[in-house]
């Protein structure tokens, strides 16, 4: 079967583009916006509406396969590609991507995705968001041509086994870390709440006291509201390097603080994402590797999660090989083509490193659904509920897609 046309449509994402550097520098929250001057190239405000591009492949039999191009909330930060605006990139897709797809015979996902990954303009690969969305559409096209689910195509081509259970879903609260935590607990989310601890003065505390207080509140709230007696979610907080901003780059001092947080979180397991951010890939790897080793040596039961400066498949392999964290976030839009997501998760599992198939609140319902298929085929330790920061919508999209896959797989077994 062939692809006979490619159609692009501009879209909105489930959240915003935020200038992370400006926020860290003190941009003041103002309702749903921020006061302040943007500092990252391409931003015209500290917070801008999130944008996406739906790429639809028209197949010869009339079916439509599609995926959504989307980029992370903090575009342009941590070594990532620049701001992704639909008006700038639809013409690019129509000029450089469409001609390579129209008339092409649908073969295998891996072969077609490899061609996309190899394409360059002016010596550069396509923007990660383009490779992300177009590869989703390619996977859907292969699945439709073979009359399979997308997870089945991935499992067949990569030699994996589709999960027979739900992958733990990690929900994110945004700034409504109290109200939204209640939603997570009531719904029985297995990992929570992300917390968005991205500012020292208002969220971490000048001595780390605000985060300590929040974790204590969260612990008590879970115990008070848990829907079943044995409900015991993992507490996962993303601190965006603010711990190192307060306690310096000394891993021993940071470990002391983590030991305090471990006691406060008890009886729940605690993960801390991004305790340091040194604005450099090599230095970030070494800092996290050293901290992880020290935490293990001291028997501190807090898991370190790598995120910033660990963006590409090569980065993830580098961090995993050097045990720079107990878990690595596979930040899905940052990897470009979704085949890289599959390989990243499988590589982490081979190396005995936790695989968190994440992403961003700034994605779409479609990219989230496709990511569920990747997770069900590869079995990461957790998957992010996305898009958005409202909890209900993102959790619904991911939870329901997983349940549909399980129900369809069960039907096939029973027939």
């Amino acid at each position: 079967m062939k692809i006979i046309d490619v159609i692009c449509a501009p879209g909105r994402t489930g959240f915003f583009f935020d200038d992370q550097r400006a926020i860290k520098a003190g941009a003041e929250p103002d309702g749903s916006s921020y006061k302040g001057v943007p500092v990252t190239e391409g931003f015209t405000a500290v917070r801008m509406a999130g944008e996406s591009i739906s790429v639809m492949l028209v197949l010869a039999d009339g079916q439509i396969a599609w995926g959504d191009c989307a980029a992370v909330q903090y575009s342009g930060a941590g070594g990532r590609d620049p701001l992704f605006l639909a008006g700038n990139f639809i013409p690019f897709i129509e000029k450089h991507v469409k001609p390579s797809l129209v008339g092409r015979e649908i073969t295998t996902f891996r072969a077609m995705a490899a061609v996309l990954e190899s394409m360059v303009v002016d010596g550069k690969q396509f923007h990660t968001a383009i490779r992300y969305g177009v590869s989703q559409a390619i996977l859907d096209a292969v699945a439709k041509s073979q009359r399979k689910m997308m997870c089945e195509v991935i499992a067949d081509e990569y030699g994996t086994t589709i999960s027979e259970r739900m992958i733990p879903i990690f929900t994110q609260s945004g700034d409504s870390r109290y109200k939204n935590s209640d939603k997570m607990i009531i719904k029985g989310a297995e990992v929570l709440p992300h917390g968005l601890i991205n500012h020292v003065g208002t969220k971490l505390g000048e001595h780390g006291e605000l985060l300590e207080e929040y974790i204590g509140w969260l612990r008590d709230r879970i115990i008070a509201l848990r829907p079943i007696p044995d409900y015991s979610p993992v507490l996962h907080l993303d601190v965006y390097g603010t711990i190192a901003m307060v306690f310096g780059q000394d891993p021993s001092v940071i470990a002391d603080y983590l030991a305090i947080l471990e006691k406060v979180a008890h009886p729940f397991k605690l993960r801390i994402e991004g305790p340091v951010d040194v604005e450099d890939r090599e230095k970030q790897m070494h800092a996290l590797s050293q901290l992880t080793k020290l935490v293990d040596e001291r028997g501190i039961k807090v898991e370190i999660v790598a995120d910033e400066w660990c963006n590409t498949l090569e980065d993830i392999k580098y961090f995993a090989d050097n045990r720079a964290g107990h878990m690595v976030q596979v930040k899905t839009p940052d990897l470009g083509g979704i085949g890289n997501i599959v390989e990243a998760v499988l590589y982490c599992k081979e190396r005995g490193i936790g695989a968190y198939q994440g992403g961003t609140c700034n994605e779409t319902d479609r990219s989230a659904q496709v990511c569920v298929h990747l997770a069900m085929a590869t079995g990461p330790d957790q998957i992010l509920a996305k898009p958005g920061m409202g909890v209900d919508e993102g959790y619904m999209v991911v939870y329901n897609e997983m349940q549909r896959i399980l129900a369809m797989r069960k039907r096939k077994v029973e027939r």
Side-chain angles (χ1 to χ4, degrees), residues 12 94 324 358:
R12 290 296 194 193
E94 291 176 338

Side-chain angles (χ1 to χ4, degrees), residues 207-269:
H207 305 285
E209 73 281 359
L210 296 181
L211 178 57
E212 184 179 342
E213 176 186 313
Y214 175 66
I215 291 175
W217 174 87
L218 187 60
R219 172 203 63 212
D220 293 343
R221 197 63 173 165
I222 293 168
I223 293 171
L225 293 183
R226 52 187 168 193
I228 55 176
D230 62 349
Y231 174 60
S232 185
V234 175
L235 309 188
H236 182 142
L237 282 300
D238 191 348
V239 300
Y240 296 91
T242 54
I243 289 178
M245 291 171 68
V246 167
F247 296 101
Q249 299 297 333
D250 186 338
S252 181
V253 177
I254 295 174
D256 288 340
Y257 179 63
L258 296 180
I260 293 171
L261 297 185
E262 176 197 359
K263 293 178 181 178
V264 175
H266 184 78
F268 304 110
K269 183 176 182 178

